[in-house]
Amino acid sequence: MNYKITNGAISYGADTIIEEIEFEIKDKDKIAIVGRNGCGKTTLLKSIVDNSMLEEGIGENKFSVYKQGNPSIGYLKQIDFEDPSKTMLEEILKVYKPIIELEEKINKLTDLLQNSNDEKLIKDYSNSVEKYELIGGYTYKKEYETAIKKFGFIDEDKQKRIDEFSGGQRTKIAFLKLILSKPDILLLDEPTNHLDIAAIEWLENYLKNYPKAVVIVSHDRMFLDRIVNKVYEIEYGQMKEYVGNYSEFEKQKRIDYEKRLKDYEYQQAEIKRLNSIADRFRYKPTKAKMALSKLKKIEQMDIIEEPNKYDLKSFHADFNIEIESVKTVLIVKDLKIGYNEKIVENNISFNLYKGQKLGIIGENRNR
Ligand SMILES: Nc1ncnc2c1ncn2[C@@H]1O[C@H](COP(=O)(O)OP(=O)(O)OP(=O)(O)O)[C@@H](O)[C@H]1O
Ligand SMILES: [Mg+2]
């Protein structure tokens, strides 16, 4: 499988979001798309699904979108279930339709073979069993059971109707279905949002071993680091490819920046030196020619622009403190949590002091 965009661009009206897109997905690539809020990551994913968003870029290559092997693409977007009165299990089993149909066929053949020695039936049976194993017949139940649990659902949830779940839970079910259906290219936009630590760890492993390609947009560096082998960064409307995981990308980016900065500083110093020689000697008749040649040298230089500040923060904000806090910020004593019933068994007590940072963690399930 191969999916390649050459010299593409994406605009919304007069605003070009990304220029000169050179982007490639191969067989089992695990790709990260990174960059600041609003740089165009989600837009790029959308354009992979809907090529009509792409137009010719300003690069030299001819604009093209090349797809080898007609890849199936799965994109996690806001949920659309055909029939929300179906249960979660019914929804999930849709993913395994070919396996389940084959299962039914094998069961029928098994019945028939109770009273028959027909060669054709026996052959059909053995072929079916072989195919059944090949398409995951012996592992699919365990696969979805594990996934359901890891996403924080309990056994009873399987029989619950889709319209009885919360919006967030429905998104999770859609996500589960998507990854279990194993498209050739899996496009995931911020997949770790709303998942607890156990689910993230499970997902990490699942994606790492995913037998096909995955493209992930995420601000979670550790998550990316464990999965990806290629990083595309979108910055100042341009895309750049880095081979390796997220740490490799950071390293390469720092090295690039430092080299560019050094080249820039060296050239600036040289310009200053040549200028000062020219200034000193341009009015001395015997040296004026030499002084002019220095100025000419500057003119002929390929001027290196000051590199953009090396900065990998995806989010920038200044929180101005209006009121300086006191030493003791919060004293909590015997706090009960719940609605009609308590949802946390024990009462909670803690003190929070100025400068402390408190994390609240827990699993998605509430039972
Ligand atoms: N339908 C649209 N019409 C016009 N402009 C849009 C549209 N969708 C997105 N944009 C603009 O395109 C730019 C890229 O948006 P996009 O959603 O791709 O960013 P992103 O990199 O995914 O950001 P984030 O990290 O916040 O998710 C933004 O400036 C956004 O305002
Ligand atoms: Mg986005």
Side-chain angles (χ1 to χ4, degrees):
M1 192 276 299
N2 190 286
Y3 186 119
K4 193 170 178 186
I5 302 172
T6 306
N7 190 28
I10 310 173
S11 312
Y12 287 118
D15 282 341
T16 301
I17 309 294
I18 318 174
E19 245 316 335
E20 286 183 83
I21 303 172
E22 300 285 333
F23 178 77
E24 186 172 23
I25 313 172
K26 280 195 221 134
D27 294 316
K28 296 181 186 177
D29 266 347
K30 307 288 177 278
I31 297 173
I33 314 276
V34 302
R36 297 237 185 116
N37 286 131
C39 71
K41 302 179 295 296
T42 299
T43 303
L44 180 74
L45 291 192
K46 285 186 187 158
S47 81
I48 295 172
V49 180
D50 174 10
N51 294 154
S52 73
M53 291 171 68
L54 291 163
E55 59 194 19
E56 170 127 38
I58 56 169
E60 290 188 349
N61 293 330
K62 195 173 174 315
F63 164 58
S64 71
V65 181
Y66 170 73
K67 287 181 245 186
Q68 179 205 46
N70 192 25
S72 58
I73 299 175
Y75 176 40
L76 181 69
K77 50 179 189 292
Q78 225 28 55
I79 345 106
D80 49 354
F81 289 101
E82 287 157 16
D83 178 4
S85 69
K86 287 242 173 352
T87 67
M88 172 178 178
L89 186 62
E90 283 168 331
E91 272 301 328
I92 289 198
L93 289 178
K94 279 187 192 166
V95 169
Y96 299 105
K97 201 165 156 237
I99 297 183
I100 290 164
E101 280 171 1
L102 195 58
E103 209 166 73
E104 282 161 6
K105 182 177 170 192
I106 290 172
N107 287 340
K108 259 190 214 140
L109 287 171
T110 311
D111 282 349
L112 288 174
L113 283 170
Q114 300 274 330
N115 313 307
S116 159
N117 270 329
D118 187 89
E119 286 256 328
K120 245 171 105 189
L121 276 185
I122 295 174
K123 185 115 208 311
D124 196 6
Y125 176 83
S126 75
N127 282 345
S128 300
V129 169
E130 205 171 293
K131 185 169 174 215
Y132 186 71
E133 180 171 8
L134 203 73
I135 62 174
Y138 297 115
T139 48
Y140 83 98
K141 277 191 190 125
K142 184 153 184 248
E143 181 179 70
Y144 74 71
E145 291 285 355
T146 310
I148 288 173
K149 287 215 178 68
K150 291 297 180 188
F151 270 55
F153 293 102
I154 54 170
D155 244 9
E156 289 96 89
D157 285 338
K158 283 190 290 189
Q159 305 307 333
K160 243 165 89 171
R161 286 157 44 144
I162 296 296
D163 52 15
E164 293 174 298
F165 288 102
S166 73
Q169 284 173 318
R170 281 188 223 182
T171 309
K172 272 196 196 171
I173 297 170
F175 190 8
L176 269 177
K177 276 185 67 180
L178 181 70
I179 52 178
L180 295 174
S181 71
K182 306 189 189 75
D184 297 322
I185 302 173
L186 194 49
L187 304 178
L188 302 174
D189 201 341
E190 296 290 350
T192 58
N193 283 1
H194 312 297
L195 295 183
D196 62 22
I197 294 170
I200 293 174
E201 280 174 355
W202 176 83
L203 185 64
E204 234 168 59
N205 249 312
Y206 188 89
L207 295 179
K208 201 152 82 187
N209 299 314
Y210 190 70
K212 296 163 177 183
V214 186
V215 181
I216 312 169
V217 171
S218 175
H219 293 289
D220 184 338
R221 296 160 190 219
M222 266 169 16
F223 181 76
L224 290 178
D225 226 7
R226 299 199 182 107
I227 301 168
V228 308
N229 63 323
K230 196 155 88 172
V231 174
Y232 281 95
E233 187 194 30
I234 306 176
E235 193 182 43
Y236 307 108
Q238 296 282 332
M239 273 177 75
K240 200 170 165 205
E241 180 191 322
Y242 295 83
V243 174
N245 62 11
Y246 193 87
S247 302
E248 283 294 318
F249 152 71
E250 275 188 323
K251 200 169 124 196
Q252 199 50 51
K253 179 114 176 131
R254 196 177 56 240
I255 293 170
D256 282 358
Y257 171 75
E258 279 162 7
K259 181 171 181 310
R260 282 198 348 243
L261 186 66
K262 221 167 131 189
D263 290 349
Y264 167 77
E265 283 172 350
Y266 176 81
Q267 192 183 54
Q268 288 299 310
E270 182 64 5
I271 290 172
K272 213 167 147 193
R273 189 182 72 87
L274 294 172
N275 264 328
S276 97
I277 296 174
D279 281 350
R280 261 198 293 153
F281 296 110
R282 70 206 299 176
Y283 301 114
K284 282 198 179 158
T286 53
K287 305 256 169 134
K289 206 169 158 210
M290 182 275 292
L292 261 177
S293 81
K294 300 294 179 208
L295 288 177
K296 194 137 194 118
K297 210 168 162 189
I298 296 176
E299 255 172 49
Q300 285 165 346
M301 279 181 180
D302 252 341
I303 297 296
I304 300 168
E305 279 182 38
E306 184 173 7
N308 290 309
K309 190 113 190 63
Y310 164 71
D311 176 8
L312 289 173
K313 284 199 195 78
S314 57
F315 174 74
H316 285 259
D318 279 322
F319 294 110
N320 291 316
I321 299 162
E322 289 207 345
I323 306 165
E324 187 73 17
S325 132
V326 290
K327 186 166 182 292
T328 309
V329 178
L330 186 65
I331 299 172
V332 175
K333 231 176 175 173
D334 284 336
L335 178 73
K336 296 181 174 61
I337 305 177
Y339 298 92
N340 293 325
E341 299 166 48
K342 252 183 164 189
I343 54 174
V344 176
E345 271 315 310
N346 51 330
N347 292 347
I348 296 166
S349 304
F350 65 90
N351 296 342
L352 191 66
Y353 298 107
K354 181 178 174 177
Q356 283 189 328
K357 292 170 186 70
L358 175 70
I360 300 173
I361 59 168
E363 293 181 8
N364 283 134
R365 81 185 71 189
N366 61 2
R367 270 161 278 201

